[in-house]
Amino acid sequence: MEKKDMDWGNIGFAYHTTDQRYVADFKNGQWQEGYMTGDATLVLNECAGILQYCQEVFEGLKAYTTADGSIVTFRPDLNAERMMDSAKRMEMPPFPKERFIEAVEKVVRANAAWVPPYGSGATLYLRPYMYASSPVIGVKPADEYQFRLFCTPVGPYFKEGAKPITLCVSDFDRAAPHGTGHIKAGLNYAMSLHANVTAHANGFDENLFLDPGTRTYVEETGGANFLFVTKEGDIVTPQSDSILPSITRRSLVYVAEHYLGLKVTQRKVKLSELSEFAECGLCGTAAVISPVGKIVDHGRDICFPSGMDEMGPVTKKLYDTLTGIQMGTIEAPEGWIHKIS
Ligand SMILES: *Cc1c(COP(=O)(O)O)cnc(C)c1O
């Protein structure tokens, strides 16, 4: 397989049009047969449901080359299930799990030349999504939908080691109580943009969002779940109905318990107790774990003892173990690595 001529270490996180994508339409009450296309452009009716009332859900996962040269994805069954849950909450027809996984395989195979080589740190990012494609003017769910899955190569998340980042406690909320915070809907991101731009303008890397009901408990950032390490070396992750169930966080919890023998507790975490933790990290597909060095709460600095120079030691162990499992240098739990070729 001749790879594309890319400077894999320096492509950053940006969209590149790749060769083939998968498309399936929902019409007449059922999902139609899917197909591959070289056409990256959509043509939509001006009144399509997605354009008027934002009926859309998405996923994000990566294909990459392991140490033995295989092309694999990580736990795509969980992305398929989460997208079905997201669709149900948005009154959209769930796209069947087996078909989701088949679409992942087809797109990765058709774009194998775009899967970055082992050791480059780069990956092929896969973006499955579905949106309301038929016209909707009165507020109601659309009759027709489209599922698409395209891919784009993305560069290494950390170019020169993982530098701890600084968060600010946001004055905005990410999700409403009993709202859509727990599903992967584009609308959650649309309304987080102002909070993001504001945080960046104030010199912060990300927002820490509080629970929207009482604004006393820690929820998550705009796109990653929290993982804390106590001074005793135990793991704590926040619990809330409006947190998006990160597959990376769930995998790290398993790794902590079953590979590292650490105690893990999922519970409500108060903003006021953050200064008692030793380490803090953000979990998501893009970075696996981004270390957090400092959280600023309206002028009050919460500095983690792990500091601003490197990942804390427990965070590092979790990171090394999960990335080792993903890259095939550490034995994976049954079913985690989905081999494509
Ligand atoms: C996608 C996402 C995450 C991370 O989930 P992963 O499955 O680990 O990639 C965390 N928070 C939000 C709000 C997200 O949309």
Side-chain angles (χ1 to χ4, degrees), residues 53-250:
Y53 305 122
C54 218
Q55 208 185 359
E56 187 260 5
V57 295
F58 69 100
E59 274 301 326
L61 67 162
K62 299 192 291 199
Y64 51 92
T65 310
T66 57
D68 71 358
S70 306
I71 294 177
V72 307
T73 57
F74 183 70
R75 309 187 81 181
D77 51 319
L78 297 190
N79 294 99
E81 286 167 10
R82 191 169 64 187
M83 192 159 171
M84 293 177 79
D85 292 340
S86 297
K88 286 177 202 154
R89 177 62 175 78
M90 293 291 280
E91 291 296 333
M92 301 169 85
F95 191 66
K97 180 171 160 180
E98 314 72 55
R99 292 196 56 186
F100 180 104
I101 292 171
E102 184 193 319
V104 166
E105 290 172 349
K106 283 189 165 154
V107 169
V108 174
R109 283 201 189 106
N111 296 286
W114 293 95
V115 181
Y118 176 70
S120 65
T123 56
L124 187 69
Y125 185 75
L126 309 180
R127 170 53 58 86
Y129 66 110
M130 344 173 343
Y131 65 93
S133 52
S134 60
V136 178
I137 193 76
V139 177
K140 65 174 167 54
D143 294 323
E144 297 180 1
Y145 297 87
Q146 185 166 81
F147 170 92
R148 283 180 91 90
L149 199 165
F150 70 83
C151 62
T152 180
V154 295
Y157 197 85
F158 299 121
K159 269 210 212 152
E160 285 132 29
K163 281 279 163 212
I165 59 172
T166 302
L167 314 182
C168 69
V169 176
S170 184
D171 288 324
F172 302 101
D173 294 326
R174 189 189 79 85
H178 318 295
T180 55
H182 61 300
I183 63 162
K184 229 169 161 72
L187 53 86
N188 289 336
Y189 279 77
M191 42 126 300
S192 74
L193 295 176
H194 180 60
N196 271 4
V197 170
T198 305
H200 291 161
N202 291 328
F204 300 105
D205 298 299
E206 283 288 345
N207 283 296
L208 178 159
F209 291 108
L210 296 172
D211 78 286
T214 69
R215 312 201 93 248
T216 47
Y217 296 100
V218 173
E219 295 256 299
E220 59 172 319
T221 65
N225 287 181
F226 277 105
L227 187 148
F228 298 101
V229 181
T230 67
K231 297 212 161 103
E232 291 72 41
D234 298 331
I235 307 296
V236 175
T237 61
Q239 184 160 41
S240 152
D241 291 343
S242 43
I243 292 177
L244 193 285
S246 157
I247 294 165
T248 314
R249 188 250 306 155
R250 287 182 270 163

Side-chain angles (χ1 to χ4, degrees), residues 6-28:
M6 306 276 288
D7 181 9
W8 302 110
N10 291 300
I11 48 178
F13 201 96
Y15 171 75
H16 297 264
T17 308
T18 51
D19 299 336
Q20 294 285 317
R21 67 277 302 127
Y22 176 94
V23 186
D25 291 309
F26 183 88
K27 265 189 201 153
N28 305 322

